[in-house]
Amino acid sequence: MVTAEMALEIEDLHAEVDGNPILNGVNFKVPAGEVHALMGPNGSGKSTLANVLLGNPAYVVSAGKVRFQGEDITHLSPGDRAARGLFLGFQHPEEIPGVSVFSFLRQAMAIRKGIDNFSVLEVRLKIMEWTKRLGMDNRFTERYLNEGFSGGERKRNEILQMALLEPDFAILDETDSGLDIDALKAVGDGIAEVRKERPDLGILVITHYQRMLDYLAPDVVHVLVDGQVVRSGGPELAQQVEIDGFDAFRNSAASTT
Ligand code: ADP
Ligand code: MG
């Protein structure tokens, strides 16, 4: 059997914020093209892991390693990671007054491609194609980034970014949070649309709920409690979480330490 190429490898990862240990030895691997779900209660360290994977300097890696496509990226800058094809959809996308969605996308696409500039026309055409495929109104690209955007618009905009930046691996941090059923479906369909175009795209989807996973059909589910993966399994694990809650897993965390 040929081992699938590993897109993302997380090895014994420890991380701290303001001197407080948050991640206490996280281990898992995601092969190219697979969807893995990361579930866990509030405060378990899910967003911390997302930030560490993207190299946010507020989060200090105290031990362990992150490999992306075989390369140790533990100490690379966020820009270098993005240029290599790692993408993060934020739990709380920030407002950037004065920067339009269009100019943001144009710049981000240029960084990803390692070129100085994308032609305005080329960017417009690509945006038109993807807003159409994602069922979005493309006029919103003239607005300032996330300013006055509804929850659904912010999250769809993250998916638009994912589509245009053509990443090899995407980390989606609670892309489903704060969405009503219709917006959730739109986002779920949008992710499916991007996967259709990029079958080798690996995705780590961070979520509280099973409902997002109805759209994404994860290959593997990991449960994070107190900064450690306490259980990994198939999609049925997400259903078990839904039925039993995270407390059942808290106990198994205690018994392994
Ligand atoms: P989750 O996403 O699973 O809800 P987080 O990773 O956001 O959890 O938070 C895990 C813990 O780390 C929490 O106790 C939180 O208060 C702390 N934490 C996360 N980010 C920061 C930060 N930037 N500054 C201080 N504490 C943080
Ligand atoms: Mg979070």
Side-chain angles (χ1 to χ4, degrees), residues 17-18 22 41-48 59 91:
V17 184
D18 296 338
I22 309 291
N42 266 327
S44 57
K46 302 184 298 298
S47 294
T48 298
Y59 298 77
Q91 179 170 2

Side-chain angles (χ1 to χ4, degrees), residues 1 9 40 42 50 87-88 104 109 125 138 165 185 213 232:
M1 202 177 82
E9 297 168 86
N42 266 327
F87 173 86
L88 174 62
F104 172 82
M109 287 162 72
L125 288 174
N138 73 47
L165 296 180
K185 182 171 188 325
L213 305 179
S232 298

